[in-house]
Structure formats: C-alpha cells, structure tokens
Amino acid sequence: MPVYIFKTNVINQSQVKGLKSNLNQLARKNERWNFDLEDCDKILRVETREPSAKKFAKALEIQGFHCEEL
C-alpha cells in the first residue's frame, strides 16, 4: 500500500487528538495514519489505497492547519 508523506504544523498530541476523529473517518479498512511530531516537518504519514491522499490534507486545512505533500 502506498505511503503518502505530508509536512504539517501540528505541534502536539492535543492537536492530534482533535484531528483523530476526522482522520479516522477518512481512513478505510486497513488504512493507517500517524504523526511524527519529533520530525522538524511534523510529518503526517498516510498509508492508503487511494491514488491520492489529498483528502487527509484537506481535513487538516479545514481545521486550520497547514499540510503539504512532500
């Protein structure tokens, strides 16, 4: 399954918890997402069968976060 990597401005676990519900709704069976907040780019990794994972980026942007695919 392809892995998409996004640079974000999500900075802490509290923000991740606020995004969790929306991101879980977007993820289909066997798809996964996670944040690496230790990385300088605050990485969001999305494992998805979708030809594009832009729906995850859009969900972050709707909630006021920056998200760009690397």
Side-chain angles (χ1 to χ4, degrees):
M1 195 173 315
V3 176
Y4 297 85
I5 300 174
F6 298 90
K7 175 181 178 177
T8 76
N9 65 343
V10 175
I11 58 172
N12 59 44
Q13 286 299 322
S14 177
Q15 291 175 334
V16 172
K17 286 180 186 177
L19 294 165
K20 184 177 182 177
S21 177
N22 285 346
L23 296 179
N24 282 343
Q25 287 179 346
L26 293 174
R28 295 182 181 152
K29 185 178 180 180
N30 297 323
E31 295 178 333
R32 296 182 187 99
W33 61 268
N34 65 38
F35 281 92
D36 180 357
L37 301 180
E38 298 297 318
D39 187 280
C40 66
D41 288 328
K42 309 302 183 198
I43 296 296
L44 166 62
R45 286 184 188 86
V46 180
E47 224 180 291
T48 179
R49 288 180 294 245
E50 293 289 315
S52 170
K54 294 195 185 302
K55 63 184 179 180
F56 289 89
K58 186 84 165 165
L60 264 69
E61 290 169 358
I62 287 171
Q63 292 190 331
F65 293 97
H66 172 78
C67 187
E68 88 179 73
E69 191 170 1
L70 296 176

